[in-house]
């Protein structure tokens, strides 16, 4: 991974240690320049807008693993572009190294385990490769990566309209992690719904969980919402129960990394707890995710692989150890919310209300 200059396509207005201001409608977390794939380094936001340039599939894998780019749809799009870099390196100029190319795809697939969008995108790459010659592959995979990115933009817009329509005006919403422009190809999943609901004057304001240990809520969601002047109030996860008891919040709205055939949903750790709290306090719970996040091969959430990340992410903060010496940490990156706690799964195909296997199958077919 190397460093890159800012790209055309991101409306940078100012940048500095404590102030990065952009036109969020123009933000894309990644940019293909014809030779390489560059990512906004999400680990450094909001203090710095810094781009990381990846010229190889291995560099893209590393960027995904190390959270330079994150969020289920964004990871899938990144993997599709990574496959283009792999095809160029392995197949151009008569090299014919399909075995090497498949190894590169496997390396991309191994970068993170939970978001099924990654495997969905790579399955599309493999299916395309099976139909085309070595000479055709680089251009065909480039067209595929572009299509995967553009499809995500369109799916975000449809989900935003479907989701916003469910929200009765007058209350706040609570969201978790970051599900916006940084996590997707477009305006976002849950955050896309929140954007649309705000524009339609359906919500009064937004509460965002800070989302330990990576602070996607405090650093990324708050940053995105501030750019659009949507009022956002951060809470520690531990404050969610008290907030929901006040009656100020009408919906908890979250994204997903993988949705099983019965509607069980894996998302950022802490989501399950929010769903339990929402049910306890009569607050509705919405999951927003494109079809690329639905895994109909898994009958329920028990089969979803849950990534466990290094202990140090919990024991330290901003690179400094905060925990007592000798303490250990358990750091699952995701949890599974049972479908029975979800009021609506919003997809680009429509809304699955009170999801179960039969209702999911109506939109997504069998496994
Ligand atoms: O570990 P992350 O930051 O990749 O986790 C992201 C999430 O859990 C998001 O909620 C999910 O990917 C949906 S993003 C549109």
């Amino acid at each position: 991974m190397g460093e890159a200059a800012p790209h055309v396509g991101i409306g940078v207005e100012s940048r500095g240690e404590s102030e990065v201001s952009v036109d969020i409608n123009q933000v894309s977390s990644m940019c293909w320049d014809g030779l390489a794939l560059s990512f906004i380094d999400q680990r450094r936001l909001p203090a710095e807008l810094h781009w990381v340039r990846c010229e190889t599939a291995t560099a893209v894998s590393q960027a995904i693993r190390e959270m330079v780019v994150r969020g289920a749809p964004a990871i899938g799009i990144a993997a599709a572009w990574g496959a283009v870099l792999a095809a160029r390196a392995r197949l151009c100029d008569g090299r014919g190294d399909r075995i090497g190319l498949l190894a590169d795809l496997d390396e991309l697939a191994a970068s993170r385990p939970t978001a099924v969008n990654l495997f969905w995108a790579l399955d599309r790459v493999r299916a395309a490769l099976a139909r085309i010659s070595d000479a055709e592959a680089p251009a065909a995979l480039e067209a595929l990566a572009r299509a995967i990115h553009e499809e995500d933009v369109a799916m975000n817009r449809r989900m935003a309209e479907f989701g916003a329509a469910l929200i009765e005006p007058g209350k706040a919403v609570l969201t978790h992690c970051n599900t916006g422009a940084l996590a997707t190809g477009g305006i976002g999943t849950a955050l896309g719904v929140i954007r649309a609901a705000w524009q339609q004057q359906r919500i009064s304001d937004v509460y965002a969980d800070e989302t330990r240990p990576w602070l996607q809520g405090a650093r990324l969601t708050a940053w995105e919402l501030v750019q659009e002047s949507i009022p956002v109030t951060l809470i520690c996860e531990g404050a969610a129960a008290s907030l929901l008891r006040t009656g100020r919040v009408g919906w908890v709205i979250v994204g997903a990394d993988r949705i099983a055939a019965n509607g069980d949903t894996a998302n950022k750790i802490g989501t399950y707890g929010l769903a339990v709290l929402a049910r306890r306090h009569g607050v509705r719970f919405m999951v927003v995710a494109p079809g690329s996040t639905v895994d109909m091969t898994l009958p329920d959430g028990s089969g979803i692989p849950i990534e466990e990340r290094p202990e140090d992410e919990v024991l330290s903060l901003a690179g400094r150890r905060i925990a007592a010496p000798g303490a250990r940490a358990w750091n699952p990156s995701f949890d599974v919310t049972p479908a029975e706690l979800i009021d609506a799964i919003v997809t680009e195909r429509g809304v699955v209300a009170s999801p179960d296997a039969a209702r999911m199958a109506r939109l997504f077919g069998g496994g």
Side-chain angles (χ1 to χ4, degrees):
M1 290 191 288
E3 293 191 4
H7 290 264
V8 183
I10 178 162
V12 182
E13 284 164 12
S14 66
R15 51 190 9 240
E17 266 305 299
S18 59
E19 183 197 6
V20 176
S21 170
V22 301
D23 177 353
I24 205 78
N25 290 307
Q26 293 184 39
V27 166
S28 178
S29 62
M30 69 193 89
C31 176
W32 173 253
D33 63 16
L35 294 173
L37 183 65
S38 294
F39 298 108
I40 293 179
D41 189 341
Q42 298 192 32
R43 300 166 305 181
R44 292 165 77 156
L45 282 172
E48 284 177 70
L49 188 62
H50 175 87
W51 288 85
V52 172
R53 192 164 195 264
C54 298
E55 296 178 354
T56 64
T58 294
V60 173
S61 305
Q62 192 185 341
I64 296 172
R65 194 169 45 250
E66 294 180 1
M67 307 279 286
V68 172
V69 58
R70 32 76 37 214
I75 291 172
I77 297 164
W81 285 116
V84 178
L85 294 169
R88 287 184 178 183
R90 300 293 188 175
L91 302 181
C92 279
D93 305 324
R95 281 191 282 270
D97 183 9
R98 283 210 174 217
I99 292 173
L101 172 55
L102 293 178
D104 289 340
L105 300 186
D106 288 346
E107 188 184 24
L108 284 162
S111 55
R112 291 191 77 187
T114 304
V116 77
N117 310 60
L118 175 65
F119 309 101
W120 168 89
L122 292 172
D123 282 350
R124 285 180 70 174
V125 167
R126 288 192 195 93
L129 277 172
R131 295 191 301 266
I132 53 183
S133 67
D134 289 4
E136 293 167 321
L141 293 193
E142 190 171 337
L144 177 60
R146 189 160 284 116
I148 286 174
H149 195 149
E150 286 169 2
E151 284 167 24
D152 195 59
V153 174
M155 292 190 292
N156 283 187
R157 295 219 172 270
R158 284 181 67 78
M159 293 187 292
E161 293 308 317
F162 287 142
L166 298 175
I167 300 172
E168 291 291 326
K171 288 200 170 190
V173 294
L174 169 62
T175 191
H176 190 60
C177 196
N178 171 264
T179 61
L182 293 166
T184 65
I187 59 169
T189 58
L191 214 55
V193 168
I194 290 169
R195 289 199 161 96
W198 172 256
Q199 282 157 11
Q200 297 169 17
Q201 300 181 328
R202 291 173 184 271
I203 58 173
S204 56
D205 58 325
V206 181
Y207 288 90
D209 271 342
E210 61 173 355
T211 318
R212 277 279 288 154
W214 275 87
L215 300 174
Q216 291 94 331
R219 295 186 302 105
L220 308 178
T221 298
W223 182 71
E224 289 199 33
L225 292 171
V226 166
Q227 304 309 308
E228 286 185 279
S229 304
I230 300 176
V232 55
T233 304
L234 280 170
I235 60 166
C236 306
E237 270 95 319
S242 296
L243 173 66
L244 296 186
R245 192 162 60 183
T246 65
R248 266 181 260 158
V249 172
W251 283 88
V252 176
I253 309 181
V254 299
D257 286 78
R258 195 183 296 225
I259 301 175
N262 69 343
D264 288 354
T265 293
N267 191 49
K268 178 53 55 195
I269 189 74
T271 303
Y272 172 34
L274 285 180
V276 172
L277 292 173
R279 185 57 55 92
R280 169 72 177 82
H281 294 97
V283 174
R284 306 232 275 156
F285 193 89
M286 185 191 306
V287 171
V288 188
S292 51
T293 304
V294 175
D295 183 353
M296 293 299 281
T297 69
L298 294 180
D300 61 49
S302 64
I304 298 176
I306 299 296
E307 176 182 15
E308 291 202 16
R309 295 191 60 90
E311 289 181 58
D312 196 47
E313 293 179 356
V314 174
L315 298 172
S316 301
L317 190 62
R320 286 187 59 177
R321 171 113 187 174
I322 50 169
R328 302 285 310 266
W330 178 49
N331 187 16
S333 197
F334 302 95
D335 58 25
V336 176
T337 300
E340 68 196 74
L341 295 177
I342 299 170
D343 293 293
I345 296 180
V346 175
T347 77
E348 79 285 1
R349 298 189 194 186
V351 177
V352 186
S354 304
D356 61 15
R359 294 192 182 104
M360 286 293 292
R362 256 176 246 147
L363 272 194
F364 290 99

